Amino acid sequence: MTTSRDESRAIFERAIEHTRGLSPATFDQWFGGVQFDDLTDGVLSLRVQNEFVLEWVKTNFLPTITDKIREITGWSVQVAWTIDQHLEAPIANVPQMPPVRPRSLVVRSSTNPPAAPASPSAPVAAEPRAPAPAPAPLRRPALPDDLNPKHTFATFVVGPSNQLAHAAAIAAAGGGGRRYNPLFICGGTGLGKTHLVHAIAHRVLGERPGARIIYVSAERFTNDFITAIQHHRMDDFRAKYRVHCDLLLVDDIQFLAGREQTQEEFFHTFNALHGLDRQIVVTSDKYPQNLERMEERLVSRFSWGLVADIQAPELETRVAIVRNKAALEGIVLPDDVALYLAQVIRSNVRELEGTLIRLAAKSSLTGRPVDLAFARAEITAATPRAQIMSVEDIQRAVCHHFHLRSIDLTSKDRHKSIAFARHVAMYLCKQRLKVSFPEIGRAFGNRDHTTVMSAVRKIEAQRDTDPQVRAHLEALERKLAGDS
Ligand SMILES: Nc1ncnc2c1ncn2[C@@H]1O[C@H](COP(=O)(O)OP(=O)(O)OP(=O)(O)O)[C@@H](O)[C@H]1O
């Protein structure tokens, strides 16, 4: 069967449309970085920005796409990939390869704009590299003493904000997929970094009870090190961390800031384990390059494997987390309350969980059911207004300021003054609520997240150059703060 390029592109587009329906958020995030080159005689040629996108798309989308193409054309499709770092991604959050360090791979699950491309196109073979070798044989069991039994993969809710870190954590636990060493998980407080690290340990222990796992906070590593020096037990310390360890999990590495001697020791620990191909997982509240007072050689090693960040979860993920937590704790939580909690507590899962537990405790003390009225009253009393602001509050303030109807902001009306007010509202949502671009898009008449990104960028640029725009923003900021 021979087809023209237009026909084959149409076949490909039908196939990927089918895939988009299966998982729209993931699709946008990943498939946006793939370009169709050709489909001729059963060979589908695709161009991707980097190897990680290639592997992800290949694992998650390709089977469905090739099945669909087979359904349409009868071909058993083979895929030829080209890695092209110059490829302009239509979707801004496609993961980027870092420009200089050849062995590192930085993946952002965020909606941050992509970095500039670094090197020219290079065709690659269709197959991914062989899986990493199995860890060294295990000798004696070792149980990390402070693992939270509830922090498992089963209790971790996966969404676009954390799916890369989650997938990488499963791979680090030997659960398939490419294993990156080290795995560096970074993100703000209370977003699930420690949970994932514990989940890795539980999974490894479940599957290989003899595995020698060391789970330490960087603070504990420091204290162990100091104690070893004090008591002349450096040989034991080194044997423990550099030899009798199959998996090293280090939480909150930022704690090593400025601790030069501990950094030096950790550097050698890292090298020893890495040299033996033992998995190392590190968490941090910052990207490696943003770690303060950290030796450059350590920073560079942290980026050798995979840097996966965790962002604040989207609304749907927050709802799922709060429902899950309620189910785990045996709390009866109506859907409208779950949604309300997820709407008002946006940036920190720990806080979301804490609020749920507090509500449940108060409800059992007072005998009142956890219903919407109860939740609203409790949260309003306990939280400053600014923190429980919602997209609707911002839309209301913007409409009031520009004398518009609320429907104008969600309508398709592109009149200049309405479009400007809409852009301002989107900008304020991003600034104040830290909600994701897709989430904002949905609240503004189901607009695409790229539209929201460009609106926010436009206002950011005007804010710095146009005094009138700045005046509107300041007036709105005052209004929103005044509501607090
Ligand atoms: N995706 C998720 N699914 C389920 N629970 C989650 C998720 N993300 C976070 N949590 C829960 O939120 C709480 C805080 O998570 P965790 O302690 O892992 O955060 P962290 O990123 O390590 O924060 P910090 O940097 O402050 O140590 C934990 O109870 C954890 O179980």
Side-chain angles (χ1 to χ4, degrees):
M1 176 175 167
T2 319
T3 51
S4 72
R5 192 172 146 73
D6 282 350
E7 283 169 329
S8 50
R9 174 183 283 281
I11 293 168
F12 175 70
E13 280 171 2
R14 267 178 68 192
I16 64 169
E17 266 317 308
H18 175 72
T19 315
R20 180 196 293 274
L22 303 180
S23 175
T26 319
F27 181 97
D28 282 348
Q29 189 173 15
W30 289 98
F31 219 77
V34 179
Q35 184 183 295
F36 168 82
D37 273 350
D38 197 11
L39 172 61
T40 309
D41 294 329
V43 178
L44 171 63
S45 305
L46 296 177
R47 190 170 287 263
V48 288
Q49 273 192 314
N50 60 47
E51 197 184 339
F52 197 81
V53 175
L54 184 160
E55 286 198 27
W56 185 273
V57 170
K58 185 171 176 174
T59 310
N60 292 281
F61 294 114
L62 217 51
T64 318
I65 290 170
T66 51
D67 278 359
K68 194 72 191 168
I69 295 177
R70 188 172 42 237
E71 206 180 284
I72 300 168
T73 63
W75 289 332
S76 182
V77 180
Q78 305 252 308
V79 182
W81 297 93
T82 301
I83 287 191
D84 181 354
Q85 292 183 359
H86 285 320
L87 184 64
E88 172 114 321
I91 302 295
N93 54 357
V94 167
Q96 300 293 307
M97 289 290 279
V100 279
R101 297 175 185 127
R103 293 179 63 200
S104 82
L105 184 55
V106 177
V107 176
R108 294 163 196 246
S109 50
S110 69
T111 44
N112 292 337
S119 68
S121 315
V124 292
E127 287 308 308
R129 63 187 65 169
L138 310 170
R139 269 162 259 145
R140 60 166 195 235
L143 265 183
D145 40 18
D146 43 8
L147 287 182
N148 184 329
K150 290 184 181 166
H151 289 173
T152 62
F153 285 123
T155 58
F156 191 83
V157 176
V158 186
S161 57
N162 59 30
Q163 65 190 1
L164 289 169
H166 173 259
I170 288 187
R178 180 168 164 190
R179 187 168 71 86
Y180 293 93
N181 201 14
L183 169 60
F184 189 97
I185 303 176
C186 56
T189 186
L191 295 183
K193 302 183 295 294
T194 301
H195 187 137
L196 278 182
V197 164
H198 286 196
I200 295 172
H202 287 304
R203 170 71 59 90
V204 171
L205 282 173
E207 289 176 1
R208 291 180 282 144
R212 298 163 304 178
I213 300 174
I214 298 184
Y215 166 71
V216 275
S217 62
E219 181 176 6
R220 166 95 175 267
F221 181 87
T222 306
N223 291 339
D224 271 9
F225 176 53
I226 293 170
T227 310
I229 295 175
Q230 267 175 346
H231 298 284
H232 308 287
R233 310 278 307 252
M234 278 310 291
D235 286 349
D236 289 351
F237 177 89
R238 289 185 177 144
K240 171 181 168 186
Y241 282 100
R242 298 187 194 180
V243 182
H244 304 302
C245 174
D246 301 308
L247 170 62
L248 177 64
L249 307 163
V250 183
D251 225 346
D252 296 325
I253 198 76
Q254 71 277 1
F255 181 83
L256 294 193
R259 294 169 207 274
E260 285 164 23
Q261 223 186 321
T262 316
Q263 285 183 27
E264 162 109 30
E265 186 61 30
F266 187 72
F267 173 77
H268 294 298
T269 304
F270 182 102
N271 287 345
L273 291 176
H274 198 269
L276 293 167
D277 195 29
R278 310 271 167 86
Q279 179 72 49
I280 302 164
V281 181
V282 172
T283 77
S284 162
D285 64 354
K286 297 185 182 67
Y287 285 101
Q289 65 272 24
N290 296 340
L291 284 167
E292 287 148 17
R293 292 179 296 144
M294 190 71 76
E295 276 190 42
E296 187 47 41
R297 57 187 185 163
L298 260 184
V299 169
S300 97
R301 272 158 182 77
F302 292 151
S303 308
W304 268 4
L306 178 72
V307 177
D309 74 352
I310 303 187
Q311 295 291 314
E314 306 69 23
L315 178 67
E316 295 79 358
T317 312
R318 298 197 299 275
V319 172
I321 289 174
V322 80
R323 279 196 189 141
N324 238 30
K325 186 74 184 172
L328 282 172
E329 301 293 332
I331 300 167
V332 179
L333 187 72
D335 284 351
D336 56 354
V337 181
L339 180 63
Y340 173 69
L341 293 180
Q343 276 170 337
V344 296
I345 301 163
R346 290 175 297 268
S347 58
N348 184 328
V349 179
R350 185 178 291 121
E351 207 178 306
L352 188 59
E353 290 187 349
T355 307
L356 171 71
I357 302 296
R358 270 198 309 282
L359 277 185
K362 189 97 185 252
S363 140
S364 85
L365 282 174
T366 58
R368 282 191 63 184
V370 182
D371 58 18
L372 193 55
F374 177 71
R376 270 189 206 284
E378 289 300 319
I379 288 174
T380 311
T383 324
R385 171 88 185 102
Q387 280 178 28
I388 57 170
M389 191 176 295
S390 65
V391 172
E392 291 72 31
D393 293 330
I394 289 180
Q395 289 176 331
R396 238 189 322 274
V398 170
C399 285
H400 186 260
H401 179 79
F402 290 107
H403 308 291
L404 299 176
R405 300 164 304 162
S406 62
I407 196 168
D408 291 331
L409 294 185
T410 53
S411 72
K412 299 277 171 248
D413 194 332
R414 300 173 77 159
H415 187 275
K416 214 171 155 196
S417 60
I418 294 182
F420 175 68
R422 192 179 293 128
H423 293 173
V424 166
M426 288 173 169
Y427 162 87
L428 287 169
C429 288
K430 191 66 200 163
Q431 291 288 311
R432 294 188 64 108
L433 309 183
K434 308 273 183 269
V435 282
S436 68
F437 289 115
E439 210 173 305
I440 298 174
R442 281 194 291 278
F444 283 80
N446 266 333
R447 286 181 155 77
D448 188 78
H449 76 271
T450 51
T451 309
V452 183
M453 287 172 71
S454 98
V456 171
R457 287 211 193 108
K458 211 178 278 179
I459 298 298
E460 276 170 356
Q462 291 173 355
R463 173 195 63 194
D464 298 335
T465 54
D466 184 335
Q468 263 191 342
V469 173
R470 201 161 43 242
H472 281 304
L473 293 177
E474 282 169 6
L476 276 160
E477 291 285 2
R478 274 196 305 277
K479 180 166 178 46
L480 292 168
D483 284 349
S484 11

